[in-house]
Amino acid sequence: MFTLRPKKIVCYGELLTGYRLEEQEQSDGAAFCSQTASGGTPAYVAAAIAKLGGDSRYIGKIGSDESGTYLRSELEAAGVEAALVGTDTASLAWTEWSEDPDDNKSGTKLDADGETRVNGNKLKRAEFDETWLDDVAVYHYGSAPLSEGRSQTSALAAARRIKAAGGLTCCCPNSSAILWPDEETMRQDLRNHIGTADIVKINEKDAAALTGLEPAEAVQQLLDMGAKVIVVTLGEYGCCVVTRQAMTSVPGIRVKSVDPSGAGDSFVGAMLLKLAECGATAEQIETIFNDEEQVRSIFSFANKAGAMTTTRRGVFAALPTMAELEGMEDS
């Protein structure tokens, strides 16, 4: 029988090694250089949860190359339980750097034949071990699996299974052109799947791209698609949490940012951890998010986690621990 353990959080999606291009001043003028970092939104979220002391599992596909070995070690070092399917494909990507912590630009990967394509999860339904979901209370997935036909089936089947058992589902839509063949396909695919998520975390740019509407109207349309809660992240200005009955704005934390990578995923991990800790279910989530005091408590914590992540370089290494957040002053 499929049962749920109160605090287990599973994240499903892409995992890759990114080589980020940055422009740096050299003695003879500006030059570009690359930095190596593990990547993939769901992997970041799983690591953020684990580093805060939560119980997380990452489900995904991983290369058997040197990058794959590195990624596995990064997950395990962060305290994440890794449920990985091996593949001979390399786990490599080039990504663009952005000043915006909500600008989750996905990378592309160079195939053996020299063609570039999106590094999606590509986990087939047959490769998805059903026991990976037997103890899950919260399920989180991003957009990369949704842009791949085979892995899309796996991602959504898992979401429906968790929902049927009363667990929470959370999705972070990403409208990046790198993920989708065209705008209409992006809108149609993501709209079809918003209804599988109890919580949709989105930024203003993706909300506009997904709906073609201004922020307030876009949020209403996302609720009409079936989501129970829409969390709109606003970078340094915090976030806005919207249900059909209430809207609460929670201010951000001002810090000296040096690298925005992973901030949004740290935010999501902190949010999901708090919900798991209080035993939130799909039936309870609207009641919880209609309570202004509870919303401010959850999202002040999440905003703080996202803000601290921007104060240091690295990806998994930049994610904060609970002790660090407890010692961080609000500002």
Side-chain angles (χ1 to χ4, degrees):
M1 180 179 178
F2 181 32
T3 58
L4 294 170
R5 193 168 71 187
K7 297 182 181 180
K8 192 73 172 185
I9 305 170
V10 67
C11 302
Y12 172 54
E14 68 277 16
L15 176 62
L16 47 88
T17 301
Y19 291 89
R20 190 179 66 191
L21 295 178
E22 291 187 0
E23 186 175 358
Q24 295 186 351
E25 289 291 334
Q26 304 292 329
S27 58
D28 58 349
F32 284 100
C33 68
S34 65
Q35 292 187 346
T36 306
S38 43
T41 289
Y44 287 166
V45 173
I49 293 164
K51 290 194 69 174
L52 289 170
D55 190 3
S56 67
R57 174 183 297 134
Y58 168 75
I59 297 174
K61 208 162 186 176
I62 194 168
S64 57
D65 57 349
E66 184 177 343
S67 292
T69 301
Y70 163 73
L71 291 168
R72 183 187 291 272
S73 67
E74 284 282 280
L75 279 174
E76 292 174 349
V80 177
E81 178 190 338
L84 299 170
V85 174
T87 175
D88 291 334
T89 305
S91 305
L92 180 65
W94 287 93
T95 61
E96 295 179 56
W97 185 79
S98 172
E99 291 283 357
D100 183 356
D102 285 323
D103 192 5
N104 297 318
K105 293 185 177 181
S106 299
T108 59
K109 181 176 63 182
L110 189 65
D111 280 337
D113 60 3
E115 294 294 326
T116 57
R117 62 177 171 78
V118 172
N119 191 326
N121 186 269
K122 292 185 174 294
L123 191 61
K124 300 176 185 177
R125 183 76 176 273
E127 296 172 321
F128 200 108
D129 188 336
E130 295 284 319
T131 63
W132 291 337
L133 302 177
D134 284 349
D135 56 359
V136 177
V138 182
Y139 172 75
H140 168 73
Y141 61 105
S143 290
L146 299 183
S147 66
E148 303 284 356
R150 293 176 299 177
S151 56
Q152 180 179 122
T153 303
S154 300
L156 298 177
R160 294 186 183 105
R161 188 164 186 237
I162 296 297
K163 284 177 71 72
L168 279 176
T169 55
C170 174
C171 181
C172 297
N174 185 343
S175 64
S176 173
I178 254 174
L179 285 173
W180 310 97
D182 55 68
E183 185 177 90
E184 184 54 37
T185 299
M186 176 274 294
R187 286 186 174 181
Q188 186 61 46
D189 283 356
L190 289 181
R191 286 175 178 178
N192 287 343
H193 307 315
I194 291 296
T196 67
D198 298 305
I199 303 168
V200 173
K201 179 267 181 188
I202 198 166
N203 60 46
E204 289 182 297
K205 184 180 73 175
D206 285 334
L210 180 57
T211 64
L213 301 172
E214 293 299 314
E217 295 173 312
V219 167
Q220 185 56 56
Q221 187 174 103
L222 293 173
L223 289 170
D224 291 342
M225 291 178 194
K228 295 178 179 178
V229 181
I230 308 299
V231 179
V232 183
T233 50
L234 306 169
E236 64 179 310
Y237 300 105
C239 64
C240 185
V241 182
V242 186
T243 70
R244 290 174 178 80
Q245 291 80 37
M247 180 178 73
T248 306
S249 295
V250 183
I253 309 294
R254 290 191 174 275
V255 295
K256 184 177 180 180
S257 176
V258 298
D259 187 348
S261 302
D265 304 315
S266 182
F267 170 94
V268 173
M271 171 189 73
L272 296 181
L273 175 64
K274 284 297 183 183
L275 290 173
E277 285 181 342
C278 71
T281 66
E283 288 185 354
Q284 299 168 338
I285 194 63
E286 284 183 283
T287 299
I288 291 172
F289 280 53
N290 286 336
D291 185 322
E292 183 176 343
E293 183 176 346
Q294 290 196 72
V295 169
R296 292 194 178 280
S297 174
I298 292 168
F299 289 97
S300 292
F301 178 75
N303 284 340
K304 186 180 288 189
M308 178 170 278
T309 301
T310 72
T311 63
R312 45 200 176 188
R313 294 191 180 277
V315 185
F316 286 5
L319 298 169
T321 64
M322 186 64 77
E324 288 174 327
L325 285 189
E326 289 175 346
M328 181 182 182
E329 294 183 1
D330 295 338
S331 58

